[in-house]
mmCIF file of all heavy atoms in Angstrom:
data_model
loop_
_atom_site.group_PDB
_atom_site.id
_atom_site.type_symbol
_atom_site.label_atom_id
_atom_site.label_comp_id
_atom_site.label_asym_id
_atom_site.label_seq_id
_atom_site.Cartn_x
_atom_site.Cartn_y
_atom_site.Cartn_z
ATOM 1 N N ILE A 46 0.867 -1.179 -0.036
ATOM 2 C CA ILE A 46 0.071 -0.033 -0.042
ATOM 3 C C ILE A 46 0.917 1.316 -0.015
ATOM 4 O O ILE A 46 0.666 2.225 -0.785
ATOM 5 C CB ILE A 46 -0.944 0.002 1.232
ATOM 6 C CG1 ILE A 46 -2.074 -0.974 0.966
ATOM 7 C CG2 ILE A 46 -1.617 1.462 1.444
ATOM 8 C CD1 ILE A 46 -2.875 -1.265 2.319
ATOM 9 N N ALA A 47 1.846 1.295 0.826
ATOM 10 C CA ALA A 47 2.819 2.414 0.928
ATOM 11 C C ALA A 47 3.513 2.596 -0.449
ATOM 12 O O ALA A 47 3.554 3.902 -0.945
ATOM 13 C CB ALA A 47 3.806 2.261 2.093
ATOM 14 N N LEU A 48 3.888 1.631 -0.985
ATOM 15 C CA LEU A 48 4.644 1.832 -2.380
ATOM 16 C C LEU A 48 3.701 2.275 -3.406
ATOM 17 O O LEU A 48 4.021 3.193 -4.189
ATOM 18 C CB LEU A 48 5.220 0.458 -2.788
ATOM 19 C CG LEU A 48 6.360 -0.032 -2.022
ATOM 20 C CD1 LEU A 48 6.835 -1.529 -2.461
ATOM 21 C CD2 LEU A 48 7.616 0.857 -2.313
ATOM 22 N N LEU A 49 2.433 1.752 -3.421
ATOM 23 C CA LEU A 49 1.431 2.197 -4.402
ATOM 24 C C LEU A 49 1.096 3.607 -4.175
ATOM 25 O O LEU A 49 0.852 4.356 -5.183
ATOM 26 C CB LEU A 49 0.272 1.162 -4.455
ATOM 27 C CG LEU A 49 0.452 -0.263 -4.959
ATOM 28 C CD1 LEU A 49 -0.708 -1.088 -4.744
ATOM 29 C CD2 LEU A 49 0.841 -0.253 -6.463
ATOM 30 N N ARG A 50 0.848 3.861 -2.914
ATOM 31 C CA ARG A 50 0.486 5.267 -2.616
ATOM 32 C C ARG A 50 1.400 6.259 -3.085
ATOM 33 O O ARG A 50 1.129 7.284 -3.764
ATOM 34 C CB ARG A 50 0.264 5.362 -1.187
ATOM 35 C CG ARG A 50 -0.366 6.752 -0.736
ATOM 36 C CD ARG A 50 -0.442 6.976 0.902
ATOM 37 N NE ARG A 50 -1.210 5.966 1.456
ATOM 38 C CZ ARG A 50 -2.545 6.024 1.598
ATOM 39 N NH1 ARG A 50 -3.206 7.073 1.166
ATOM 40 N NH2 ARG A 50 -3.354 5.092 2.257
ATOM 41 N N GLN A 51 2.780 5.959 -2.864
ATOM 42 C CA GLN A 51 3.825 6.881 -3.284
ATOM 43 C C GLN A 51 3.816 6.944 -4.806
ATOM 44 O O GLN A 51 3.936 8.027 -5.411
ATOM 45 C CB GLN A 51 5.140 6.357 -2.770
ATOM 46 C CG GLN A 51 6.330 7.255 -3.141
ATOM 47 C CD GLN A 51 7.606 6.704 -2.682
ATOM 48 O OE1 GLN A 51 7.745 5.768 -1.880
ATOM 49 N NE2 GLN A 51 8.779 7.236 -3.066
ATOM 50 N N LEU A 52 3.733 5.867 -5.601
ATOM 51 C CA LEU A 52 3.848 5.709 -6.925
ATOM 52 C C LEU A 52 2.719 6.582 -7.523
ATOM 53 O O LEU A 52 2.882 7.349 -8.412
ATOM 54 C CB LEU A 52 3.675 4.268 -7.478
ATOM 55 C CG LEU A 52 3.582 4.108 -8.925
ATOM 56 C CD1 LEU A 52 4.803 4.394 -9.663
ATOM 57 C CD2 LEU A 52 3.155 2.703 -9.226
ATOM 58 N N PHE A 53 1.452 6.435 -7.050
ATOM 59 C CA PHE A 53 0.312 7.007 -7.635
ATOM 60 C C PHE A 53 0.283 8.593 -7.333
ATOM 61 O O PHE A 53 -0.062 9.361 -8.226
ATOM 62 C CB PHE A 53 -1.026 6.428 -7.050
ATOM 63 C CG PHE A 53 -1.233 5.029 -7.511
ATOM 64 C CD1 PHE A 53 -1.960 4.110 -6.741
ATOM 65 C CD2 PHE A 53 -0.714 4.448 -8.761
ATOM 66 C CE1 PHE A 53 -2.148 2.798 -7.150
ATOM 67 C CE2 PHE A 53 -0.836 3.177 -9.168
ATOM 68 C CZ PHE A 53 -1.590 2.437 -8.328
ATOM 69 N N ILE A 54 0.827 8.877 -6.128
ATOM 70 C CA ILE A 54 0.913 10.389 -5.883
ATOM 71 C C ILE A 54 1.887 10.982 -6.672
ATOM 72 O O ILE A 54 1.551 12.186 -7.243
ATOM 73 C CB ILE A 54 1.107 10.605 -4.335
ATOM 74 C CG1 ILE A 54 -0.080 10.113 -3.478
ATOM 75 C CG2 ILE A 54 1.579 12.080 -4.013
ATOM 76 C CD1 ILE A 54 0.140 10.194 -2.062
ATOM 77 N N GLU A 55 3.016 10.414 -7.049
ATOM 78 C CA GLU A 55 4.021 11.013 -7.860
ATOM 79 C C GLU A 55 3.499 11.100 -9.220
ATOM 80 O O GLU A 55 3.870 11.986 -10.052
ATOM 81 C CB GLU A 55 5.341 10.028 -7.897
ATOM 82 C CG GLU A 55 6.168 10.069 -6.717
ATOM 83 C CD GLU A 55 7.158 8.960 -6.631
ATOM 84 O OE1 GLU A 55 7.421 8.238 -7.681
ATOM 85 O OE2 GLU A 55 7.892 9.001 -5.652
ATOM 86 N N GLN A 56 2.479 10.282 -9.681
ATOM 87 C CA GLN A 56 1.899 10.365 -10.963
ATOM 88 C C GLN A 56 0.730 11.294 -10.977
ATOM 89 O O GLN A 56 -0.027 11.442 -12.080
ATOM 90 C CB GLN A 56 1.361 8.935 -11.415
ATOM 91 C CG GLN A 56 2.555 7.846 -11.610
ATOM 92 C CD GLN A 56 3.566 8.332 -12.692
ATOM 93 O OE1 GLN A 56 3.140 8.681 -13.829
ATOM 94 N NE2 GLN A 56 4.836 8.170 -12.376
ATOM 95 N N GLY A 57 0.394 11.951 -9.891
ATOM 96 C CA GLY A 57 -0.600 12.977 -9.761
ATOM 97 C C GLY A 57 -1.997 12.437 -9.522
ATOM 98 O O GLY A 57 -3.084 13.157 -9.753
ATOM 99 N N TYR A 58 -2.022 11.229 -9.106
ATOM 100 C CA TYR A 58 -3.395 10.688 -8.724
ATOM 101 C C TYR A 58 -3.731 10.892 -7.254
ATOM 102 O O TYR A 58 -2.659 10.949 -6.423
ATOM 103 C CB TYR A 58 -3.392 9.114 -8.863
ATOM 104 C CG TYR A 58 -3.194 8.675 -10.378
ATOM 105 C CD1 TYR A 58 -2.110 8.055 -10.741
ATOM 106 C CD2 TYR A 58 -4.289 8.785 -11.231
ATOM 107 C CE1 TYR A 58 -1.986 7.584 -12.087
ATOM 108 C CE2 TYR A 58 -4.113 8.433 -12.574
ATOM 109 C CZ TYR A 58 -2.955 7.767 -12.993
ATOM 110 O OH TYR A 58 -2.869 7.343 -14.286
ATOM 111 N N GLN A 59 -5.010 10.881 -6.945
ATOM 112 C CA GLN A 59 -5.403 10.894 -5.402
ATOM 113 C C GLN A 59 -5.563 9.478 -5.126
ATOM 114 O O GLN A 59 -6.076 8.694 -5.936
ATOM 115 C CB GLN A 59 -6.666 11.594 -5.253
ATOM 116 C CG GLN A 59 -6.680 13.081 -5.624
ATOM 117 C CD GLN A 59 -8.078 13.712 -5.391
ATOM 118 O OE1 GLN A 59 -8.831 13.130 -4.703
ATOM 119 N NE2 GLN A 59 -8.207 14.869 -6.048
ATOM 120 N N VAL A 60 -5.157 9.091 -3.937
ATOM 121 C CA VAL A 60 -5.238 7.717 -3.567
ATOM 122 C C VAL A 60 -5.974 7.557 -2.167
ATOM 123 O O VAL A 60 -5.773 8.251 -1.238
ATOM 124 C CB VAL A 60 -3.843 7.131 -3.365
ATOM 125 C CG1 VAL A 60 -3.880 5.703 -2.982
ATOM 126 C CG2 VAL A 60 -2.992 7.354 -4.484
ATOM 127 N N GLU A 61 -6.912 6.518 -2.118
ATOM 128 C CA GLU A 61 -7.442 6.168 -0.878
ATOM 129 C C GLU A 61 -7.103 4.593 -0.861
ATOM 130 O O GLU A 61 -7.132 3.926 -1.766
ATOM 131 C CB GLU A 61 -8.984 6.191 -0.974
ATOM 132 C CG GLU A 61 -9.364 7.765 -0.828
ATOM 133 C CD GLU A 61 -10.883 7.919 -0.978
ATOM 134 O OE1 GLU A 61 -11.613 7.028 -1.217
ATOM 135 O OE2 GLU A 61 -11.310 9.104 -0.550
ATOM 136 N N ALA A 62 -6.803 4.152 0.428
ATOM 137 C CA ALA A 62 -6.407 2.776 0.581
ATOM 138 C C ALA A 62 -7.236 2.168 1.764
ATOM 139 O O ALA A 62 -7.330 2.745 2.732
ATOM 140 C CB ALA A 62 -4.910 2.573 0.709
ATOM 141 N N VAL A 63 -7.658 0.973 1.559
ATOM 142 C CA VAL A 63 -8.335 0.232 2.606
ATOM 143 C C VAL A 63 -7.709 -1.204 2.572
ATOM 144 O O VAL A 63 -7.291 -1.682 1.534
ATOM 145 C CB VAL A 63 -9.921 0.129 2.477
ATOM 146 C CG1 VAL A 63 -10.525 1.586 2.649
ATOM 147 C CG2 VAL A 63 -10.331 -0.521 1.195
ATOM 148 N N SER A 64 -7.912 -1.938 3.699
ATOM 149 C CA SER A 64 -7.261 -3.295 3.824
ATOM 150 C C SER A 64 -8.222 -4.425 3.950
ATOM 151 O O SER A 64 -7.755 -5.405 4.250
ATOM 152 C CB SER A 64 -6.264 -3.313 5.028
ATOM 153 O OG SER A 64 -6.818 -2.891 6.231
ATOM 154 N N SER A 65 -9.541 -4.176 3.819
ATOM 155 C CA SER A 65 -10.531 -5.218 3.956
ATOM 156 C C SER A 65 -11.688 -4.980 2.958
ATOM 157 O O SER A 65 -11.943 -3.797 2.421
ATOM 158 C CB SER A 65 -10.970 -5.234 5.425
ATOM 159 O OG SER A 65 -11.930 -4.155 5.739
ATOM 160 N N ALA A 66 -12.369 -6.038 2.752
ATOM 161 C CA ALA A 66 -13.524 -5.930 1.859
ATOM 162 C C ALA A 66 -14.669 -4.890 2.548
ATOM 163 O O ALA A 66 -15.291 -4.227 1.878
ATOM 164 C CB ALA A 66 -14.128 -7.294 1.473
ATOM 165 N N GLU A 67 -14.858 -5.160 3.847
ATOM 166 C CA GLU A 67 -15.825 -4.430 4.586
ATOM 167 C C GLU A 67 -15.551 -2.948 4.445
ATOM 168 O O GLU A 67 -16.408 -2.121 4.140
ATOM 169 C CB GLU A 67 -15.856 -4.819 5.999
ATOM 170 C CG GLU A 67 -16.927 -4.094 6.825
ATOM 171 C CD GLU A 67 -16.853 -4.434 8.329
ATOM 172 O OE1 GLU A 67 -16.053 -5.218 8.565
ATOM 173 O OE2 GLU A 67 -17.713 -3.872 9.087
ATOM 174 N N ALA A 68 -14.257 -2.544 4.660
ATOM 175 C CA ALA A 68 -13.978 -1.136 4.507
ATOM 176 C C ALA A 68 -14.125 -0.636 3.038
ATOM 177 O O ALA A 68 -14.414 0.495 2.710
ATOM 178 C CB ALA A 68 -12.549 -0.970 4.990
ATOM 179 N N ALA A 69 -13.734 -1.576 2.104
ATOM 180 C CA ALA A 69 -13.860 -1.207 0.682
ATOM 181 C C ALA A 69 -15.309 -0.785 0.275
ATOM 182 O O ALA A 69 -15.606 0.006 -0.485
ATOM 183 C CB ALA A 69 -13.361 -2.297 -0.178
ATOM 184 N N LEU A 70 -16.286 -1.706 0.726
ATOM 185 C CA LEU A 70 -17.643 -1.554 0.425
ATOM 186 C C LEU A 70 -18.176 -0.214 0.967
ATOM 187 O O LEU A 70 -18.901 0.524 0.221
ATOM 188 C CB LEU A 70 -18.501 -2.722 0.955
ATOM 189 C CG LEU A 70 -18.284 -4.060 0.269
ATOM 190 C CD1 LEU A 70 -18.913 -5.151 1.077
ATOM 191 C CD2 LEU A 70 -18.803 -3.959 -1.186
ATOM 192 N N LEU A 71 -17.641 0.199 2.090
ATOM 193 C CA LEU A 71 -18.162 1.474 2.690
ATOM 194 C C LEU A 71 -17.448 2.658 1.849
ATOM 195 O O LEU A 71 -18.172 3.638 1.578
ATOM 196 C CB LEU A 71 -17.570 1.592 4.154
ATOM 197 C CG LEU A 71 -18.441 0.980 5.223
ATOM 198 C CD1 LEU A 71 -17.811 1.020 6.603
ATOM 199 C CD2 LEU A 71 -19.797 1.571 5.367
ATOM 200 N N GLN A 72 -16.260 2.551 1.541
ATOM 201 C CA GLN A 72 -15.544 3.390 0.787
ATOM 202 C C GLN A 72 -16.114 3.779 -0.562
ATOM 203 O O GLN A 72 -16.157 4.913 -0.974
ATOM 204 C CB GLN A 72 -13.996 3.199 0.540
ATOM 205 C CG GLN A 72 -13.173 4.416 0.275
ATOM 206 C CD GLN A 72 -13.255 5.483 1.441
ATOM 207 O OE1 GLN A 72 -13.153 5.161 2.548
ATOM 208 N NE2 GLN A 72 -13.178 6.734 0.950
ATOM 209 N N VAL A 73 -16.516 2.701 -1.229
ATOM 210 C CA VAL A 73 -17.119 2.768 -2.542
ATOM 211 C C VAL A 73 -18.473 3.613 -2.388
ATOM 212 O O VAL A 73 -18.871 4.346 -3.276
ATOM 213 C CB VAL A 73 -17.249 1.449 -3.172
ATOM 214 C CG1 VAL A 73 -18.221 1.591 -4.395
ATOM 215 C CG2 VAL A 73 -16.015 0.764 -3.509
ATOM 216 N N GLN A 74 -19.191 3.416 -1.402
ATOM 217 C CA GLN A 74 -20.452 4.245 -1.174
ATOM 218 C C GLN A 74 -20.107 5.650 -0.759
ATOM 219 O O GLN A 74 -20.954 6.595 -1.191
ATOM 220 C CB GLN A 74 -21.315 3.582 0.029
ATOM 221 C CG GLN A 74 -21.795 2.224 -0.277
ATOM 222 C CD GLN A 74 -22.486 1.634 0.984
ATOM 223 O OE1 GLN A 74 -22.560 2.236 2.045
ATOM 224 N NE2 GLN A 74 -22.914 0.412 0.994
ATOM 225 N N LEU A 75 -19.075 5.887 -0.171
ATOM 226 C CA LEU A 75 -18.761 7.284 0.310
ATOM 227 C C LEU A 75 -18.103 8.179 -0.648
ATOM 228 O O LEU A 75 -18.295 9.439 -0.623
ATOM 229 C CB LEU A 75 -18.022 7.252 1.610
ATOM 230 C CG LEU A 75 -18.506 6.449 2.770
ATOM 231 C CD1 LEU A 75 -17.520 6.365 3.846
ATOM 232 C CD2 LEU A 75 -19.784 7.128 3.259
ATOM 233 N N SER A 76 -17.355 7.760 -1.551
ATOM 234 C CA SER A 76 -16.553 8.533 -2.384
ATOM 235 C C SER A 76 -16.495 7.948 -3.772
ATOM 236 O O SER A 76 -16.489 6.724 -3.985
ATOM 237 C CB SER A 76 -15.119 8.629 -1.868
ATOM 238 O OG SER A 76 -14.344 9.418 -2.537
ATOM 239 N N ALA A 77 -16.393 8.801 -4.750
ATOM 240 C CA ALA A 77 -16.354 8.373 -6.146
ATOM 241 C C ALA A 77 -14.901 8.139 -6.443
ATOM 242 O O ALA A 77 -13.967 8.893 -6.131
ATOM 243 C CB ALA A 77 -16.912 9.423 -7.145
ATOM 244 N N HIS A 78 -14.638 7.091 -7.299
ATOM 245 C CA HIS A 78 -13.389 6.757 -7.627
ATOM 246 C C HIS A 78 -13.387 6.491 -9.219
ATOM 247 O O HIS A 78 -14.266 6.217 -9.750
ATOM 248 C CB HIS A 78 -12.906 5.462 -7.097
ATOM 249 C CG HIS A 78 -12.883 5.517 -5.542
ATOM 250 N ND1 HIS A 78 -14.036 5.207 -4.789
ATOM 251 C CD2 HIS A 78 -11.905 5.909 -4.583
ATOM 252 C CE1 HIS A 78 -13.749 5.271 -3.624
ATOM 253 N NE2 HIS A 78 -12.525 5.818 -3.445
ATOM 254 N N ASP A 79 -12.056 6.757 -9.791
ATOM 255 C CA ASP A 79 -11.878 6.420 -11.254
ATOM 256 C C ASP A 79 -11.433 5.102 -11.575
ATOM 257 O O ASP A 79 -11.542 4.581 -12.631
ATOM 258 C CB ASP A 79 -10.987 7.457 -11.803
ATOM 259 C CG ASP A 79 -11.557 8.942 -11.609
ATOM 260 O OD1 ASP A 79 -12.598 9.260 -12.181
ATOM 261 O OD2 ASP A 79 -10.918 9.731 -10.867
ATOM 262 N N LEU A 80 -10.776 4.465 -10.514
ATOM 263 C CA LEU A 80 -10.231 3.105 -10.758
ATOM 264 C C LEU A 80 -10.183 2.448 -9.334
ATOM 265 O O LEU A 80 -9.820 3.100 -8.400
ATOM 266 C CB LEU A 80 -8.783 3.127 -11.368
ATOM 267 C CG LEU A 80 -8.099 1.914 -11.616
ATOM 268 C CD1 LEU A 80 -8.447 1.368 -13.066
ATOM 269 C CD2 LEU A 80 -6.664 2.004 -11.507
ATOM 270 N N ILE A 81 -10.427 1.084 -9.385
ATOM 271 C CA ILE A 81 -10.278 0.286 -8.147
ATOM 272 C C ILE A 81 -9.141 -0.688 -8.504
ATOM 273 O O ILE A 81 -9.215 -1.434 -9.452
ATOM 274 C CB ILE A 81 -11.514 -0.442 -7.795
ATOM 275 C CG1 ILE A 81 -12.596 0.697 -7.378
ATOM 276 C CG2 ILE A 81 -11.293 -1.297 -6.528
ATOM 277 C CD1 ILE A 81 -13.991 0.083 -7.098
ATOM 278 N N LEU A 82 -8.152 -0.782 -7.542
ATOM 279 C CA LEU A 82 -7.089 -1.723 -7.631
ATOM 280 C C LEU A 82 -7.264 -2.698 -6.498
ATOM 281 O O LEU A 82 -7.167 -2.274 -5.384
ATOM 282 C CB LEU A 82 -5.651 -1.151 -7.532
ATOM 283 C CG LEU A 82 -4.474 -1.977 -7.843
ATOM 284 C CD1 LEU A 82 -4.534 -2.565 -9.134
ATOM 285 C CD2 LEU A 82 -3.190 -1.103 -7.699
ATOM 286 N N LEU A 83 -7.656 -3.911 -6.852
ATOM 287 C CA LEU A 83 -8.162 -4.865 -5.732
ATOM 288 C C LEU A 83 -7.227 -6.138 -5.778
ATOM 289 O O LEU A 83 -7.088 -6.767 -6.743
ATOM 290 C CB LEU A 83 -9.575 -5.305 -6.284
ATOM 291 C CG LEU A 83 -10.293 -6.443 -5.626
ATOM 292 C CD1 LEU A 83 -10.396 -6.136 -3.974
ATOM 293 C CD2 LEU A 83 -11.600 -6.639 -6.238
ATOM 294 N N ASP A 84 -6.841 -6.432 -4.488
ATOM 295 C CA ASP A 84 -6.116 -7.666 -4.257
ATOM 296 C C ASP A 84 -7.015 -8.849 -4.140
ATOM 297 O O ASP A 84 -8.182 -8.693 -3.644
ATOM 298 C CB ASP A 84 -5.293 -7.516 -2.889
ATOM 299 C CG ASP A 84 -4.478 -8.563 -2.515
ATOM 300 O OD1 ASP A 84 -4.021 -9.387 -3.518
ATOM 301 O OD2 ASP A 84 -4.182 -8.932 -1.395
ATOM 302 N N LEU A 85 -6.584 -9.935 -4.741
ATOM 303 C CA LEU A 85 -7.446 -11.112 -4.725
ATOM 304 C C LEU A 85 -7.506 -11.735 -3.194
ATOM 305 O O LEU A 85 -8.532 -12.259 -2.885
ATOM 306 C CB LEU A 85 -6.884 -12.197 -5.618
ATOM 307 C CG LEU A 85 -7.790 -13.379 -6.012
ATOM 308 C CD1 LEU A 85 -9.035 -12.834 -6.731
ATOM 309 C CD2 LEU A 85 -7.018 -14.244 -6.841
ATOM 310 N N GLY A 86 -6.516 -11.716 -2.457
ATOM 311 C CA GLY A 86 -6.532 -12.335 -1.069
ATOM 312 C C GLY A 86 -6.616 -11.367 -0.008
ATOM 313 O O GLY A 86 -5.619 -10.900 0.531
ATOM 314 N N LEU A 87 -7.886 -11.030 0.251
ATOM 315 C CA LEU A 87 -8.171 -10.117 1.497
ATOM 316 C C LEU A 87 -8.505 -11.081 2.616
ATOM 317 O O LEU A 87 -8.979 -12.132 2.508
ATOM 318 C CB LEU A 87 -9.399 -9.251 1.056
ATOM 319 C CG LEU A 87 -9.125 -8.244 -0.042
ATOM 320 C CD1 LEU A 87 -10.438 -7.556 -0.539
ATOM 321 C CD2 LEU A 87 -7.981 -7.295 0.261
ATOM 322 N N PRO A 88 -8.310 -10.429 3.826
ATOM 323 C CA PRO A 88 -8.642 -11.196 5.047
ATOM 324 C C PRO A 88 -10.015 -11.698 5.248
ATOM 325 O O PRO A 88 -10.384 -12.754 5.793
ATOM 326 C CB PRO A 88 -8.083 -10.395 6.137
ATOM 327 C CG PRO A 88 -8.034 -8.969 5.655
ATOM 328 C CD PRO A 88 -7.829 -9.052 4.148
ATOM 329 N N ASP A 89 -10.921 -10.846 4.805
ATOM 330 C CA ASP A 89 -12.375 -11.113 5.109
ATOM 331 C C ASP A 89 -13.213 -11.444 3.987
ATOM 332 O O ASP A 89 -14.324 -11.911 4.079
ATOM 333 C CB ASP A 89 -13.089 -9.859 5.781
ATOM 334 C CG ASP A 89 -12.947 -8.546 4.927
ATOM 335 O OD1 ASP A 89 -12.084 -8.476 4.105
ATOM 336 O OD2 ASP A 89 -13.660 -7.584 5.226
ATOM 337 N N MET A 90 -12.711 -11.470 2.800
ATOM 338 C CA MET A 90 -13.355 -11.902 1.550
ATOM 339 C C MET A 90 -12.459 -12.024 0.356
ATOM 340 O O MET A 90 -11.497 -11.328 0.164
ATOM 341 C CB MET A 90 -14.520 -10.907 1.187
ATOM 342 C CG MET A 90 -15.401 -11.213 0.024
ATOM 343 S SD MET A 90 -16.491 -9.922 -0.482
ATOM 344 C CE MET A 90 -17.537 -9.745 0.904
#
């Protein structure tokens, strides 16, 4: 996450990061995003 955040910020992107499916579902409801980068192996789903 730290590496990706740094990479994306350097490229001029805004970045939000969450570490669980539950938090991701909330974040998608709360804020509009242009792209979702999703890990296959999350702890809760």
Side-chain angles (χ1 to χ4, degrees):
I46 288 174
L48 288 172
L49 291 171
R50 185 184 302 274
Q51 179 181 354
L52 174 71
F53 295 151
I54 289 172
E55 287 172 1
Q56 297 297 312
Y58 295 111
Q59 293 179 22
V60 183
E61 292 179 344
V63 295
S64 59
S65 70
E67 179 183 3
L70 290 167
L71 280 173
Q72 197 62 38
V73 167
Q74 291 176 3
L75 298 174
S76 185
H78 302 91
D79 299 295
L80 179 88
I81 296 173
L82 187 58
L83 171 59
D84 182 28
L85 193 64
L87 296 172
D89 57 343
M90 183 186 298

